[in-house]
Amino acid sequence: MAPTPGPTIHSAEAMYDTPYGRLECRWSIEIDADLFHMDLLIPPNSRARVVLPTPEKLSQPAASRGDGDDLWVGSGRHHFSAPFEWRKYTREWPPKPLIPIMRKPEPEDIA
């Protein structure tokens, strides 16, 4: 799980039914307190890599954000909070999609 908050996105949630059970991720930014909150539900017999957003990690593509500081969590409910100064966060927005290796990227200009 490597959330990517943006200049106009302050919360998101997603659910997915895996073969092991439901996977859920909800995150939000507490704007007044400059805090990032994330709640995870990991299905039984599973684990997830958690990468909390920091300016250093958000400047990298999502697929390469792991640097050894990541946290692996097992099945169950988990809550994470971290400082996040969203006013200082700048990034090209919207983020570029991750292209599967079997597909060629679409052209930037659509005529």
Side-chain angles (χ1 to χ4, degrees):
M1 302 293 176
T4 305
T8 59
I9 298 178
H10 299 137
S11 66
E13 73 177 75
M15 291 168 257
Y16 179 71
D17 290 321
T18 75
Y20 296 99
R22 180 162 280 207
L23 172 66
E24 296 180 7
C25 178
R26 289 180 180 85
W27 62 263
S28 63
I29 298 172
E30 194 176 332
I31 295 172
D32 297 337
D34 285 338
L35 283 174
F36 173 86
H37 299 285
M38 182 168 63
D39 292 303
L40 294 177
L41 173 63
I42 309 300
N45 301 318
S46 303
R47 64 185 189 142
R49 184 182 79 163
V50 177
V51 181
L52 296 176
T54 63
E56 297 79 26
K57 290 195 180 202
L58 288 172
S59 65
Q60 304 168 0
S64 65
R65 288 186 195 162
D67 66 356
D69 293 337
D70 305 342
L71 174 65
W72 285 90
V73 295
S75 56
R77 292 195 178 273
H78 304 277
H79 177 79
F80 302 93
S81 293
F84 185 76
E85 296 182 35
W86 65 276
R87 288 173 195 85
K88 293 182 181 179
Y89 176 63
T90 58
R91 180 188 169 100
E92 182 179 315
W93 194 257
K96 301 257 188 245
L98 299 174
I99 304 296
I101 197 163
M102 300 302 285
R103 284 187 53 213
K104 293 181 181 176
E106 297 292 326
E108 291 285 328
D109 299 324
I110 297 175

